[in-house]
Amino acid sequence: MTFDQIEAKMRASLSQFTGLGAKVKFDFGADGALFLDATKVPTVSREPVDVNTTLKISLADFVKLSDGKLSPTLAFTFGKLKVQGDMGVAMKLAGMLDD
């Protein structure tokens, strides 16, 4: 899955982030970054914004995560997912992705 496809998939499923109440950066390293603003009505953008939490993960591992083939907890435990900032936001987001 390409970066553009991941962005489209996130846009199509924005309703799952309702209630997060935070801004998150998904940092895919050299592949780019997406910014989720779920403080009100969730939006996703490539434009940088000040965030509460940054999630660093490879594009391939993010695809597995979003497809339910990789648990957020296991990804974090094995170092495939790194969290910077508000860990509470990351935990809430993990719960939303597990649903």
Side-chain angles (χ1 to χ4, degrees):
M1 187 176 285
T2 68
F3 183 80
D4 290 337
Q5 290 170 320
I6 287 174
E7 182 180 16
K9 186 174 182 178
M10 283 185 77
R11 285 185 190 283
S13 61
L14 282 173
S15 63
Q16 80 183 50
F17 302 112
T18 300
L20 181 62
K23 295 178 184 177
V24 179
K25 176 182 179 182
F26 294 88
D27 183 348
F28 303 115
D31 291 310
L34 290 173
F35 297 85
L36 171 68
D37 181 348
T39 53
K40 296 180 183 165
V41 176
T43 60
V44 68
S45 171
R46 294 181 186 201
E47 295 300 315
V49 296
D50 288 332
V51 297
N52 306 91
T53 304
T54 298
L55 305 175
K56 292 185 175 191
I57 188 168
S58 73
L59 222 55
D61 285 334
F62 184 79
V63 169
K64 291 176 190 172
L65 191 86
S66 65
D67 287 343
K69 296 178 181 173
L70 176 64
S71 157
T73 304
L74 286 177
F76 181 78
T77 302
F78 291 110
K80 294 179 179 222
L81 171 65
K82 294 182 172 61
V83 179
Q84 294 177 329
D86 189 335
M87 185 61 83
V89 171
M91 299 289 286
K92 194 171 182 182
L93 186 59
M96 293 174 161
L97 292 172
D98 273 343
D99 291 344

